[in-house]
Amino acid sequence: MSCPYRVINFVLQLLTAILEVVATVFVVLLLWSPCVLGLEFSVSPTMCLFIRPVMALHSVVFVLFRLCCCTVGLDPIAVVFNFIAGVAVTCSSLFLLIDVIMYHCGNEYLYMFYIVGIFGLLAGIMHLVNAFICNRYMPASERLYLKPSKRQRKKALKVRLRENK
């Protein structure tokens, strides 16, 4: 029953990792643009440079673990990571896009700023969608770690005992 959701989760995580890696490469390329070297833009690319590589590396590792272990993905760690990564990447991308739209001079590096912003925004939205999917279709035995109330622990223990038989 959870197999289609695991496939959807994996595909979303793979696409998110690809988008984040491409956006990270373009952020690094932007460091030598005249806009960044001339300090026309320093805060938004720097913020993206601090956030993107960490989230991209974590997404790539998460995808690699999904290839090796099929049980990873629909668990509380995935929910928390995807939610935090989605908010962080979306906020930094929106900040960069608004900054570029309002203050950019229009040189030949403008398309790179838009690629970083749009790919980051798409990756952030995909992280949030993936967090929703992970939370919605998480197996009952994993919910024990998400909501550790006494009633939930008893219920999850019963479910786990039924699954093991």
Side-chain angles (χ1 to χ4, degrees), residues 87-147:
V87 169
V89 171
T90 302
C91 288
S92 67
S93 298
L94 284 175
F95 184 65
L96 178 72
L97 281 174
I98 291 170
D99 198 21
V100 168
I101 288 171
M102 291 178 66
Y103 301 113
H104 200 273
C105 61
N107 64 7
E108 68 271 8
Y109 290 93
L110 181 62
Y111 77 96
M112 287 183 165
F113 283 100
Y114 284 124
I115 286 175
V116 169
I118 291 171
F119 279 18
L121 190 61
L122 288 173
I125 291 169
M126 290 172 83
H127 269 301
L128 292 173
V129 168
N130 211 354
F132 173 75
I133 288 173
C134 290
N135 191 31
R136 175 71 177 91
Y137 298 108
M138 188 183 311
S141 61
E142 293 285 339
R143 291 210 180 267
L144 168 71
Y145 304 109
L146 188 62
K147 299 177 184 176

Side-chain angles (χ1 to χ4, degrees), residues 22-80:
V22 170
T24 302
V25 168
F26 275 100
V27 164
V28 171
L29 291 175
L30 278 177
L31 293 178
W32 290 280
S33 70
C35 300
V36 176
L37 290 175
L39 296 178
E40 182 181 344
F41 296 106
S42 61
V43 175
S44 54
T46 305
M47 184 171 65
C48 286
L49 186 65
F50 283 127
I51 292 174
R52 294 283 165 77
V54 173
M55 298 304 170
L57 180 65
H58 197 173
S59 292
V60 168
V61 169
F62 207 56
V63 167
L64 291 175
F65 274 132
R66 284 297 308 264
L67 289 174
C68 299
C69 310
C70 62
T71 60
V72 177
L74 295 175
D75 53 6
I77 294 172
V79 173
V80 171

Side-chain angles (χ1 to χ4, degrees), residues 9-27:
N9 174 265
F10 175 72
V11 169
L12 277 174
Q13 196 67 40
L14 180 67
L15 291 175
T16 304
I18 291 170
L19 286 173
E20 284 181 345
V21 167
V22 170
T24 302
V25 168
F26 275 100
V27 164

